[in-house]
Amino acid sequence: MAGEDRARAASTGASGLVRPPRVRLDQPKPPRRRLVPDYDPEAFGRLSERIARFLGTGRFIVWMTLVIIVWVAWNIFAPPTLRFDQYPFIFLTLMLSLQASYAAPLILLAQNRQDDRDRVTHEQDRKQNERSIADTEYLTREIAALRMGLGEVATRDWIRSELEDLIRDLDDHRALSRSESDEDR
């Protein structure tokens, strides 16, 4: 009880008025209640993509056609007391409009998500292409430098031709020195 009295006294001023509780800056605020329910946009997007994929199949068209045929046949051939949608089939029209009003935004959401994925893929492809071009240019420069360097390197054929020239020069020089020595005698 003494602890409560001290806490109450600390929250009241000299005039005895109750002050609002202090806001603690070292703690997160408690979550507030919201009117709009909280949902995971990724989960909703995945669900919309699954629905859009199903709506774009032949299976959906076959099922929808069968439902409409059964609906119309029931409301034409069933006993009058069991019919729930008379000839202009207004309820069928309402149901198809409701289905279309939900299908269109779901399909658009799925398309937007696919566009986002395509944009990311194209951006990654563009960056990869830029890296490939830079690598190709680098390798081209390296090959050109190697070719220029090889132009300055002595090859086996060049060395062979130089040695053959030297041997010819030596043979010519010996022949000259022999002929001079023969003349001197």
Side-chain angles (χ1 to χ4, degrees), residues 137-151:
E137 289 173 353
Y138 170 75
L139 291 173
T140 302
R141 286 191 303 273
E142 287 296 311
I143 289 172
L146 286 172
R147 283 185 177 168
M148 288 172 51
L150 279 177

Side-chain angles (χ1 to χ4, degrees), residues 114-127:
Q114 185 62 45
D115 288 343
D116 291 342
R117 279 194 298 273
D118 289 345
R119 190 177 307 110
V120 168
T121 302
H122 290 304
E123 182 66 23
Q124 289 172 347
D125 288 347
R126 187 186 62 76
K127 287 180 181 177

Side-chain angles (χ1 to χ4, degrees), residues 41-91:
E42 280 300 310
F44 187 73
R46 285 190 301 272
L47 176 66
S48 69
E49 285 177 342
R50 290 180 64 199
I51 292 171
R53 275 192 215 107
F54 175 68
L55 291 177
T57 62
R59 178 181 290 163
F60 172 76
I61 293 172
V62 168
W63 278 108
M64 183 64 103
T65 303
L66 289 175
V67 166
I68 291 171
I69 289 171
V70 168
W71 186 297
V72 170
W74 179 266
N75 285 298
I76 289 175
F77 300 116
T81 56
L82 297 177
R83 295 179 191 167
F84 55 89
D85 193 15
Q86 296 301 319
Y87 163 65
F89 305 117
I90 294 172
F91 188 50

Side-chain angles (χ1 to χ4, degrees), residues 24-36:
R24 303 255 337 232
L25 297 177
D26 62 337
Q27 295 178 352
K29 286 184 174 182
R32 291 192 274 172
R33 297 190 125 199
R34 298 171 45 181
L35 295 177
V36 178

Side-chain angles (χ1 to χ4, degrees), residues 161-171:
S161 69
E162 289 295 315
L163 286 174
E164 288 172 355
D165 289 344
L166 280 174
I167 291 172
R168 254 186 264 121
D169 288 345
L170 280 174
D171 288 342

